[in-house]
Coordinates of all heavy atoms in Angstrom, one line a residue:
Chain K
Q83 N -4.1 35.3 5.2 CA -3.2 35.5 4.1 C -3.9 35.1 2.8 O -4.9 34.3 2.8 CB -2.0 34.6 4.3 CG -1.2 34.9 5.6 CD -0.7 36.3 5.7 OE1 0.0 36.8 4.8 NE2 -0.9 37.0 6.8
Q84 N -3.4 35.5 1.7 CA -4.0 35.2 0.4 C -4.0 33.7 0.2 O -5.0 33.2 -0.5 CB -3.3 36.0 -0.7 CG -3.6 37.5 -0.7 CD -3.0 38.2 -1.9 OE1 -2.0 37.8 -2.4 NE2 -3.6 39.3 -2.2
E85 N -3.0 33.0 0.6 CA -3.0 31.6 0.4 C -4.0 30.8 1.2 O -4.2 29.6 1.0 CB -1.6 31.0 0.7 CG -1.1 31.2 2.1 CD -0.2 32.4 2.3 OE1 -0.4 33.4 1.5 OE2 0.6 32.4 3.2
D86 N -4.7 31.5 2.1 CA -5.8 30.9 2.9 C -7.1 30.8 2.0 O -8.1 30.1 2.4 CB -6.1 31.6 4.2 CG -4.9 31.7 5.1 OD1 -4.0 30.8 5.0 OD2 -4.9 32.7 5.9
S87 N -7.1 31.5 0.9 CA -8.3 31.5 0.0 C -8.6 30.1 -0.4 O -7.7 29.4 -1.0 CB -8.1 32.4 -1.2 OG -7.9 33.7 -0.8
A88 N -9.8 29.6 -0.2 CA -10.2 28.2 -0.5 C -11.6 28.0 -0.1 O -12.3 28.9 0.5 CB -9.3 27.2 0.3
V89 N -12.1 26.8 -0.3 CA -13.4 26.4 0.2 C -13.2 25.5 1.4 O -12.4 24.6 1.3 CB -14.3 25.7 -0.8 CG1 -15.6 25.2 -0.2 CG2 -14.6 26.6 -2.0
Y90 N -13.7 25.9 2.5 CA -13.6 25.1 3.7 C -14.8 24.3 3.9 O -15.9 24.8 4.1 CB -13.3 26.1 4.9 CG -12.0 26.7 4.8 CD1 -11.8 27.8 4.0 CD2 -10.9 26.2 5.5 CE1 -10.5 28.4 3.9 CE2 -9.6 26.7 5.4 CZ -9.4 27.8 4.6 OH -8.2 28.4 4.4
L91 N -14.6 22.9 3.9 CA -15.7 22.0 4.0 C -15.7 21.3 5.4 O -14.7 20.9 5.9 CB -15.5 20.9 2.9 CG -15.7 21.3 1.5 CD1 -15.1 20.3 0.5 CD2 -17.2 21.5 1.2
C92 N -16.9 21.2 5.9 CA -17.1 20.5 7.1 C -17.9 19.2 6.8 O -18.8 19.2 5.9 CB -17.9 21.4 8.1 SG -18.4 20.6 9.7
A93 N -17.6 18.2 7.6 CA -18.3 16.9 7.4 C -18.6 16.2 8.8 O -17.8 16.5 9.7 CB -17.5 15.9 6.5
S94 N -19.6 15.4 8.8 CA -19.8 14.7 10.1 C -20.3 13.3 9.8 O -20.7 12.9 8.7 CB -20.9 15.4 10.9 OG -22.2 15.4 10.3
R95 N -20.2 12.4 10.8 CA -20.6 11.1 10.7 C -20.9 10.5 12.1 O -20.4 11.0 13.1 CB -19.7 10.2 9.9 CG -18.3 10.0 10.6 CD -17.4 9.0 9.7 NE -16.1 8.8 10.3 CZ -15.2 8.0 9.8 NH1 -15.4 7.5 8.6 NH2 -14.1 7.8 10.3
F96 N -21.6 9.4 12.1 CA -21.8 8.6 13.3 C -20.4 7.9 13.6 O -19.6 7.8 12.8 CB -22.8 7.5 13.1 CG -24.3 8.0 13.0 CD1 -25.0 7.8 11.9 CD2 -24.8 8.6 14.1 CE1 -26.3 8.3 11.8 CE2 -26.2 9.0 14.1 CZ -26.9 8.9 12.9
T97 N -20.3 7.6 14.8 CA -19.0 7.1 15.3 C -18.5 5.8 14.6 O -17.4 5.6 14.4 CB -18.9 6.8 16.8 OG1 -20.0 5.9 17.1 CG2 -19.2 8.1 17.6
T98 N -19.5 5.0 14.2 CA -19.0 3.7 13.7 C -19.4 3.5 12.2 O -19.2 2.4 11.7 CB -19.7 2.5 14.5 OG1 -21.1 2.7 14.5 CG2 -19.2 2.6 15.9
A99 N -19.9 4.5 11.6 CA -20.3 4.4 10.2 C -19.2 5.0 9.3 O -18.6 6.0 9.7 CB -21.6 5.1 9.9
G100 N -19.0 4.5 8.1 CA -18.0 5.0 7.2 C -18.3 6.3 6.5 O -17.4 7.1 6.2
E101 N -19.6 6.5 6.2 CA -19.9 7.6 5.3 C -19.8 9.0 6.0 O -20.3 9.2 7.1 CB -21.4 7.5 4.8 CG -21.8 8.6 3.8 CD -23.1 8.4 3.2 OE1 -23.8 7.4 3.5 OE2 -23.6 9.2 2.4
L102 N -19.1 9.8 5.3 CA -19.0 11.2 5.7 C -20.1 12.0 5.0 O -20.2 11.9 3.8 CB -17.6 11.8 5.4 CG -16.5 11.6 6.3 CD1 -15.2 12.3 5.8 CD2 -16.8 12.1 7.7
F103 N -20.8 12.9 5.7 CA -21.7 13.8 5.1 C -21.2 15.2 5.1 O -20.8 15.7 6.2 CB -23.1 13.7 5.9 CG -23.8 12.4 5.8 CD1 -23.4 11.3 6.7 CD2 -24.8 12.2 4.9 CE1 -24.1 10.1 6.6 CE2 -25.4 11.0 4.8 CZ -25.1 9.9 5.6

Side-chain angles (χ1 to χ4, degrees):
Chain K
Q83 303 295 311
Q84 289 184 332
E85 61 262 29
D86 300 335
S87 296
V89 176
Y90 290 82
L91 289 161
C92 176
S94 68
R95 66 178 179 181
F96 287 115
T97 57
T98 57
E101 181 175 0
L102 275 182
F103 292 84

